[in-house]
Amino acid sequence: MSGPLRFEAPSALDYFTSLVADDASLPLVEAAAAIAQDEYPGLDTQAVLADIDSLADRLKRRIPADAVPVQRLRWLNRFFFQELGFGGNVNNYYDPGNSYLHLVLSTRRGIPITLAVLYIELATQVGLTARGVSFPGHFLVKLKMPQGEVVIDPFTGQSLSREELDDLLLPYKRNRGLLGEFDAPLGLFLQAAQPRDVLARMLRNLKEIHRSAEDWPRLMAVLQRLVVLLPQAWEERRDRGLTYAELGQEAAAVGDLADYLEHAGDAQDRQAITARLSELRRRGAPRLH
């Protein structure tokens, strides 16, 4: 007679993997909340979603049923930025906590992208059409209105004019030689970000923080998610390989770096990564086939 069946709870990474498996059904807010489970293993993402829903319910009760979109937007902005006091964490911008949705909900402080995820969810629940915008250097929100698009900076709550957006873009365009005859239209930078891209940007923010601090275990946790989220982004595979090497896991490092070289074509760092791979193999890591 066989023993009792044992069901193991999925790991945080397994859970995230299941959430991001399919673009068509990717639940952005739940997946964004789940990012914090590496740091907070006991975090209940369903409770985070319930907290957001209860804020949305409070807002819905105030908005008259016949309110037109521009009135709904005013109610939302007053509620989110003034009454609840959401805004940018200007004092501690590079705190990893700014990337954890449940902490942003409780402290009311975050970075543009986490504030945007919450703002968009509330906007959607009160009948507005809102999308995130991966603007260079600063994540924004755009709302579709009968009179045209409104672009909001979730860090400050300001509505941005075309002139202000052009000014924000200027340093980026100048760095990339996109001025003069090569000028790129503003609309190109205001396209809606897909949920997978939003999550990638959130994770890359954390990646930069942990890499700067040389916090290899935390960096590894973020890279595991990035590789799952973007299986074709070979530079994430490369960075995971380099992080495995820092953690002394040479065999895993060799596998990732070899994968990178196989797919990276004529990448600029090809020579450097080939040298690193040879060095790891010389140190006795088995060849992975």
Side-chain angles (χ1 to χ4, degrees), residues 9 14 40 47 87 102 124 137 150 163 197 206 218 247 264 283 285:
D14 290 338
Y40 298 89
H102 73 292
T124 304
V150 174
E163 291 71 31
D197 299 330
L206 281 169
R218 283 188 171 89
L247 291 167
R283 276 159 51 178

Side-chain angles (χ1 to χ4, degrees), residues 199-215:
L199 294 171
R201 188 153 167 167
M202 286 181 72
L203 287 165
R204 284 174 173 149
N205 285 336
L206 281 169
K207 175 183 170 181
E208 212 38 62
I209 291 167
H210 298 324
R211 182 157 55 188
S212 299
E214 297 188 359
D215 188 336

Side-chain angles (χ1 to χ4, degrees), residues 164-185:
E164 287 166 323
L165 289 165
D166 278 326
D167 288 346
L168 271 178
L169 258 185
L170 202 56
Y172 175 86
K173 284 184 170 184
R174 198 176 281 133
N175 284 343
R176 283 163 180 73
L178 294 174
L179 296 171
E181 62 179 305
F182 298 108
D183 198 0

